[in-house]
Amino acid sequence: MMPGIRHAGAAALAIAILAPPPVGAAEAGKLTKSFSEKSSRTLDVRPGGVLWIDNAIGSIVVTGGGDKVVVETTRVLRAVDDATLESLKKKSSILIEGTPESRIVKSTGLVSSVNALARIDYVVRVPASTQLNLLSGVAEKVRVTGVSGKLYVRNWRGLVEVADATGPVQVDTVNTNVHVSFSRKPVSPMILTSVNGNIEVRVPQSSKFEWYAETMKGDILTAIPVKGRPSERPGQRIYHASVNGGGGSAIRASSITGKVYLLPMENPRALAASVLPQAPQSVVPAPKAAMKEDVGVMFRSVVASLLVVPPSTRTFEVRKGRVAGNYDFAATLGENVFVGEIDGFARIVSAGGEVVLGRVAGDCRVASQGGPINLGEVGGYAEARTVAGDVTVGTAKKGGRFGTGGGSIVVRRSLGPLVLETSGGDVIVGESASGVSAETHSGDIRVRLDSKGTADASELRTGRGNVTLEIPKDAKMTIDATISMSAEGAHRFESEFPGLTVVRERVGDGVRVRATGTINGGGPQLTISASSGNIALRRAPDKIATAAPAQR
Amino acid sequence: MSDCTLIREQMPLLLTESLGSAGREAAHQHIEACASCETEWSKTRETWKLLAEAADRPVPTRVRARFLDEAASMGGAMSRRPVVVPFTRKPVFRRLAQAAAIAVIAGGAYFAGSTRGTTPATGTGMIASASPAPQFRISENARLSADQIAPEIAGSPAISNVRFIDHEGRPGEVGMTFDLTQKVTVTGKATDQSLVNLAAYVLGDSDHPTTSRSNAIQWVRDTYSTGQTADPQIVTALSGVLRNDAHEGVRLKAVETLGSLPAASLGGAAAQARQALIDALQNDPNTNVRLKAVEALANLAAVPDGFDPAAVETLRKKASQNDENPYLRVKAAEALSQMNL
């Protein structure tokens, strides 16, 4: 099988084998007591009116045709004992509310646990023009055929099938596949969304429509010749095609981690190929130097990709042992990037995902739309910024600048100047041989400077939190530390170094404590600012070089 | 001493109903029979009434400071003075008398404390109870009867915002209210209700951020993240922090801690935690807080019967929200995929 090719027909087999078991089946062995009850009712719904079916557990099958709304239900109860079964009988029921313009059928008291299962299966016949809102939680299936009114389906688990709908269709699912098929050309707009399932649309090959497909971790495939235009947003891949010249209705399909298929109705065994310029298998970075040990890009196997089991995003990653040169990579799909060693410089732009680099010999620059960044040892200057997530650095030999839109920053050891910024979270520097500029909007700051570190100016600021600074006992610095607090005595300044002048003053409704002066005769400026927190100036252990870094 | 002089001296006691029944009867009989004493009694009652209606003005700082200094220096001798405040019609004298009474209490407390040794080892300043098995109540306004306070003041407690109060309907009584900054160390098992309450209070006390809330959260996380010690009150407090604290770092720690609590042991509080996380996921402006909310929701859903439709719907919408952070969207999708729907 060629890379990027999927045998769509095989998917059906895989689905048949691996489809979710019937609701509660896993517990059915224990649920020895059972009860089943069928009922039928004709509802008063005017032509073109709205029918709601809200069923948390159980299938819904709706067929268009006839001139009446007929609802047939099967209530299935299973329990571990008679008492539980009786309780289920009392609690589970069907409520019918609303008016002929908008009729609501709602299941209540349904449950699926280790001790009990209560589900209701619906088989409904409606006039074709009826508008349908089907709210399903967990179901073996939700199937709708032959309707012309507006259709909305929401489902969390269980296959959703829509066949020959001529009205507008919207489907929202979570961990479930969506199959939509047309024996005639589609004429109405359609919006199909799944979080972790695949979306499959089958149309007559000659159909004309606008096809919009999106995915973040999956793929976009078709077995119908189309000429389209791929585009990208951070972490997202988008494809738009005017099928057979386009025009007419628009079919929009989006799956976060699943695949989006466009297939011909006439050929159920048609081979579908990816329309994206970089199919997942080919998402291999183009390093500027050869790789000595390339573990390669790891993805799910072809077989696994056909299963209805939601794909795991954890396997969607780029993993390398060692890069014998520079490494310049844009992870546009939001892949996780794991690289053991990079002999040159590293430049990584991530659309959102975890970035872990063991050792980078040269400079290192990482920018991420979101996700943690973990750098082991950086020989050159390091820069790392993520929109959200923690930044952890083992050793920054030439210092660096690290930032996060929310999360902690931990630098265990730095030999160069550090600039650290977080919108919220702690900042921890285990040991620095150069000045540190650290700022957090809210969070604690803990920094230890060695004797070289105190030779530079440092500035530590927190909008809310404590600041603890450890410096050698013979450090020569000029101190300016300020605490802003709401009430007298709420926070305190502590120093293990004598000679500082502490002044308290009222500022507006609050109190400001300012400690100024020199220690050991003065030296580089050390500015500390904390709001609603303590400031502690402590003596570092004598053997600072071998001291364990401050722990989180 | 003439009868009139004696009766006039007893009038304050008569007002405060401090006389015995026989003395009270004799005094009233004399007042009814003596015109001058009746006039004096009327004036005394009128003055007493006006004093009761007068606004309670704070004692001038220097006066207060002087009394506090005196209280601190008086020592044990004061403890043996009677705790009875003689009435005077002149307000300033009455105030001084009240202050003196407080000084008696405070000084006596100091003396007794220095000899009885009831101060906890970690306390730097403490008003200790003389009761055999005192139950110390932590409250916004602790009201203690003077005779229940051991007459010692140990260490140098920082007493501030001192105000002197009237009898409040109980003639003969005076009072003093003040803020006392003292170090209190409470030890016990993590499951002790008093410790749980204290932890919850510290987390929720946004009006008096006397401690770093983030430190408190970290302590709560370390202490209450096991199945044996998780407590619904802690969940309530953390939920409040997550909803209300203005600082991202604090909310971040709150959401991380909520996620670290053992979902299986939370019982009914799990619903509360879940709702707070849903709110954070929907509304928190900080991406990482929302990201941690996703992880915490997944954690809550991982236990039997932990499934919640609202959480599923919120995660589904987040995963599908085009303008949301892409990493967060994927994490939401991943969380849903791991849920036992």
Side-chain angles (χ1 to χ4, degrees):
Chain A
M1 188 177 291
M2 293 173 59
I5 301 294
R6 300 284 183 276
H7 195 298
L13 177 62
I15 289 166
I17 297 171
L18 295 161
V23 177
E27 301 85 23
K30 300 176 184 175
L31 308 180
T32 54
K33 306 296 180 184
S34 63
F35 172 81
S36 179
E37 178 187 59
K38 291 192 174 186
S39 64
S40 177
R41 185 162 179 176
T42 301
L43 301 182
D44 180 17
V45 180
R46 72 163 177 78
V50 183
L51 175 64
W52 295 74
I53 298 178
D54 186 350
N55 189 35
I57 305 175
S59 298
I60 303 174
V61 176
V62 181
T63 306
D67 55 1
K68 293 181 180 177
V69 174
V70 180
V71 178
E72 295 178 355
T73 58
T74 303
R75 184 167 60 137
V76 179
L77 311 177
R78 292 179 188 167
V80 291
D81 52 40
D82 290 331
T84 307
L85 190 65
E86 285 304 311
S87 175
L88 291 178
K89 285 181 185 177
K90 292 177 182 174
K91 290 180 180 176
S92 59
S93 63
I94 298 170
L95 299 178
I96 298 175
E97 301 168 336
T99 64
E101 284 71 33
S102 180
R103 186 65 67 192
I104 300 167
V105 181
K106 185 173 184 178
S107 305
T108 62
L110 304 186
V111 64
S112 176
S113 70
V114 292
N115 294 325
L117 166 68
R119 78 163 197 257
I120 297 178
D121 296 329
Y122 286 79
V123 177
V124 183
R125 176 168 283 276
V126 299
S129 63
T130 306
Q131 299 181 48
L132 294 169
N133 289 314
L134 309 180
L135 308 180
S136 170
V138 182
E140 288 182 48
K141 63 187 174 188
V142 175
R143 180 188 296 161
V144 182
T145 56
V147 297
S148 60
K150 282 184 183 175
L151 170 64
Y152 175 72
V153 179
R154 188 213 65 192
N155 187 36
W156 296 334
R157 195 185 80 182
L159 180 64
V160 173
E161 290 181 296
V162 178
D164 292 329
T166 55
V169 176
Q170 182 176 351
V171 179
D172 289 327
T173 72
V174 177
N175 294 341
T176 185
N177 293 345
V178 180
H179 290 178
V180 179
S181 60
F182 296 90
S183 56
R184 297 180 180 178
K185 296 174 184 177
V187 294
S188 295
M190 194 177 305
I191 301 174
L192 312 172
T193 304
S194 180
V195 176
N196 291 311
N198 299 331
I199 299 174
E200 184 180 302
V201 177
R202 289 182 177 274
V203 297
Q205 201 149 355
S206 59
S207 301
K208 293 183 178 182
F209 58 93
E210 301 294 327
W211 183 42
Y212 299 89
E214 296 180 15
T215 185
M216 295 184 78
K217 295 286 187 181
D219 201 356
I220 300 171
L221 308 100
T222 181
I224 296 177
V226 295
K227 288 184 179 178
R229 184 162 41 89
S231 60
E232 287 183 0
R233 285 201 293 261
Q236 200 165 4
R237 316 183 87 194
I238 305 165
Y239 188 81
H240 170 220
S242 299
V243 180
N244 293 316
S249 61
I251 296 177
R252 299 175 185 272
S254 172
S255 176
I256 306 298
T257 66
K259 296 181 176 65
V260 177
Y261 291 95
L262 178 63
L263 302 169
M265 192 69 187
E266 296 87 348
N267 184 3
R269 292 186 167 275
L271 296 176
S274 174
V275 298
L276 299 176
Q278 273 189 316
Q281 285 84 348
S282 63
V283 182
V284 180
K288 295 183 177 178
M291 302 171 187
K292 289 181 180 176
E293 181 186 351
D294 188 353
V295 179
V297 183
M298 300 179 70
F299 294 100
R300 292 166 292 133
S301 68
V302 172
V303 172
S305 70
L306 294 172
L307 307 184
V308 293
V309 177
S312 168
T313 54
R314 284 175 297 190
T315 60
F316 201 84
E317 62 194 28
V318 177
R319 188 178 289 270
K320 295 181 176 301
R322 184 176 183 185
V323 178
N326 302 326
Y327 187 61
D328 192 350
F329 178 50
T332 56
L333 296 181
E335 305 94 322
N336 296 330
V337 179
F338 301 102
V339 184
E341 291 184 74
I342 299 170
D343 289 345
F345 71 75
R347 188 169 62 191
I348 295 171
V349 177
S350 171
E354 190 174 354
V355 177
V356 180
L357 307 180
R359 184 185 68 83
V360 181
D363 292 348
C364 176
R365 286 182 170 77
V366 180
S368 173
Q369 290 287 327
I373 298 173
N374 192 328
L375 309 177
E377 179 184 296
V378 181
Y381 187 74
E383 278 188 78
R385 172 164 285 278
T386 178
V387 170
D390 298 338
V391 177
T392 307
V393 182
T395 301
K397 289 190 173 178
K398 291 188 178 177
R401 175 185 287 267
F402 306 107
T404 172
S408 299
I409 301 175
V410 179
V411 181
R412 301 197 190 286
R413 188 162 178 259
S414 176
L415 303 179
L418 289 174
V419 178
L420 313 170
E421 296 168 305
T422 173
S423 295
D426 296 344
V427 177
I428 299 168
V429 178
E431 180 185 343
S432 179
S434 189
V436 175
S437 173
E439 181 167 7
T440 174
H441 289 187
S442 56
D444 295 343
I445 298 177
R446 276 170 277 170
V447 174
R448 181 186 291 171
L449 299 176
D450 68 9
S451 55
K452 292 181 181 176
T454 55
D456 299 324
S458 286
E459 188 171 352
L460 313 175
R461 296 184 185 278
T462 175
R464 178 170 180 170
N466 307 308
V467 178
T468 303
L469 177 68
E470 291 184 10
I471 53 178
K473 63 182 179 182
D474 56 353
K476 297 178 179 179
M477 303 200 83
T478 300
I479 310 294
D480 185 349
T482 305
I483 302 175
S484 300
M485 64 188 89
S486 58
E488 179 73 42
H491 302 284
R492 63 187 182 277
F493 173 81
E494 293 178 354
S495 173
E496 295 180 354
F497 295 88
L500 300 180
T501 302
V502 180
V503 176
R504 297 172 183 274
E505 56 185 343
R506 284 219 155 264
V507 180
D509 293 335
V511 176
R512 184 166 66 195
V513 175
R514 188 173 183 191
T516 56
T518 60
I519 56 175
N520 296 317
Q525 184 74 30
L526 173 60
T527 305
I528 305 175
S529 171
S531 291
S532 301
N534 304 324
I535 293 178
L537 199 56
R538 303 194 189 287
R539 292 181 180 177
D542 288 339
K543 293 182 178 180
I544 189 169
T546 56
Q551 296 299 308
R552 289 189 65 187
Chain B
M1 185 180 290
S2 68
D3 285 347
C4 289
T5 304
L6 179 63
I7 291 300
R8 290 178 190 185
E9 282 187 359
Q10 287 181 340
M11 281 182 182
L13 302 175
L14 198 59
L15 274 171
T16 58
E17 297 181 0
S18 301
L19 278 177
S21 58
R24 187 165 63 243
E25 182 64 24
H28 278 300
Q29 284 180 2
H30 176 88
I31 289 170
E32 286 172 8
C34 176
S36 62
C37 283
E38 185 179 19
T39 304
E40 186 68 18
W41 173 238
S42 298
K43 289 179 179 176
T44 302
R45 284 199 304 175
E46 185 181 352
T47 305
W48 185 264
K49 183 181 175 185
L50 289 172
L51 284 170
E53 293 171 354
D56 192 22
R57 297 174 185 276
V59 175
T61 306
R62 69 175 189 280
V63 176
R64 187 176 64 191
R66 197 179 76 221
F67 272 98
L68 291 173
D69 289 340
E70 288 178 6
S73 63
M74 279 176 180
M78 292 296 292
S79 66
R80 287 183 288 275
R81 294 186 183 182
V83 192
V84 175
V85 183
F87 175 75
T88 173
R89 278 178 289 174
K90 295 181 179 179
V92 61
F93 290 146
R94 189 172 69 88
R95 305 282 183 185
L96 290 172
Q98 290 173 338
I102 300 308
V104 167
I105 296 170
Y110 178 77
F111 171 76
S114 63
T115 56
R116 294 184 188 183
T118 55
T119 308
T122 53
T124 57
M126 186 94 176
I127 293 180
S129 170
S131 304
Q135 189 171 25
F136 190 92
R137 172 176 291 181
I138 297 172
S139 63
E140 182 183 5
N141 189 5
R143 194 175 187 93
L144 302 171
S145 177
D147 58 7
Q148 291 179 334
I149 298 178
E152 69 175 45
I153 293 181
S156 304
I159 296 175
S160 60
N161 294 331
V162 179
R163 289 190 300 117
F164 299 94
I165 55 177
D166 286 332
H167 58 85
E168 293 184 332
R170 277 180 285 191
E173 282 194 9
V174 293
M176 175 180 179
T177 180
F178 53 85
D179 297 338
L180 178 62
T181 304
Q182 64 182 53
K183 181 179 287 184
V184 177
T185 301
V186 180
T187 59
K189 294 177 182 175
T191 51
D192 284 347
Q193 198 57 45
S194 57
L195 271 174
V196 171
N197 292 349
L198 267 173
Y201 177 78
V202 170
L203 288 174
D205 187 20
S206 58
D207 294 335
H208 305 90
T210 53
T211 58
S212 167
R213 189 179 262 184
S214 59
N215 283 353
I217 294 173
Q218 187 62 46
W219 182 81
V220 163
R221 181 175 183 171
D222 295 342
T223 307
Y224 293 98
S225 291
T226 65
Q228 290 73 35
T229 56
D231 190 280
Q233 258 189 285
I234 298 297
V235 173
T236 302
L238 287 170
S239 301
V241 173
L242 180 56
R243 284 195 176 96
N244 302 322
D245 201 289
H247 296 264
E248 299 93 335
V250 178
R251 297 198 307 276
L252 197 56
K253 287 187 176 175
V255 71
E256 285 175 340
T257 304
L258 276 174
S260 72
L261 296 178
S265 68
L266 293 180
Q272 190 179 14
R274 197 179 290 114
Q275 190 55 53
L277 294 168
I278 288 172
D279 291 345
L281 181 54
Q282 290 174 332
N283 304 316
D284 199 288
N286 185 277
T287 308
N288 210 29
V289 173
R290 298 197 303 277
L291 190 58
K292 299 292 182 183
V294 169
E295 295 170 2
L297 280 171
N299 179 48
L300 282 177
V303 298
D305 298 328
F307 170 78
D308 178 69
V312 173
E313 268 304 285
T314 306
L315 287 168
R316 183 186 69 78
K317 288 176 181 172
K318 273 292 160 187
S320 304
Q321 187 177 323
N322 272 329
D323 58 355
E324 181 54 275
N325 181 279
Y327 182 69
L328 188 148
R329 292 179 65 187
V330 171
K331 283 294 177 186
E334 192 174 80
L336 285 166
S337 74
Q338 292 166 357
M339 282 187 180
N340 183 27
L341 296 179

